[in-house]
Amino acid sequence: MNIYVGNLSYRTDDNGLKSAFEKFGEVKSAKVITDRETGRSKGFGFVEMMTDVSGGQAIEELNGSELDGRTLRVNEARPREERPRRQY
């Protein structure tokens, strides 16, 4: 199950995100999305859980909870929409 995690603190890194979800089951991957130019966190990330059961439990428990001083927004990730490339 792929999970969207929003409203992350800019201090939260991949390892911090992973450890928050590990108590609910095996985490396949955890990634905080960063700006390409600055390398700074964009304030959201994605966690991939090994099973839907552990993912569902993590969403239920962590949505609205606090991590690094911020209230998390956690839900199942929607598939990425194809967007046209911007032309400069």
Side-chain angles (χ1 to χ4, degrees):
M1 174 182 271
N2 201 11
I3 300 169
Y4 166 83
V5 185
N7 202 33
L8 286 173
S9 166
Y10 294 121
R11 295 186 314 265
T12 304
D13 61 7
D14 294 351
N15 290 331
L17 187 58
K18 182 178 181 181
S19 66
F21 280 79
E22 282 180 324
K23 47 188 116 159
F24 301 100
E26 191 176 347
V27 175
K28 190 173 183 181
S29 66
K31 181 77 178 143
V32 174
I33 305 304
T34 56
D35 183 274
R36 268 185 239 165
E37 314 253 328
T38 64
R40 186 173 176 206
S41 168
K42 287 189 168 189
F44 69 95
F46 294 93
V47 175
E48 196 172 356
M49 302 291 288
M50 291 299 281
T51 67
D52 287 351
V53 172
S54 60
Q57 184 181 4
I59 290 170
E60 194 173 302
E61 295 283 330
L62 293 176
N63 189 37
S65 69
E66 196 171 291
L67 178 67
D68 293 333
R70 301 290 300 263
T71 302
L72 298 179
R73 227 180 21 241
V74 184
N75 51 43
E76 190 168 353
R78 296 189 301 261
R80 185 176 177 151
E81 294 177 13
E82 287 299 318
R83 298 184 307 193
R85 303 280 293 164
R86 293 194 297 188
Q87 301 295 321
Y88 293 99

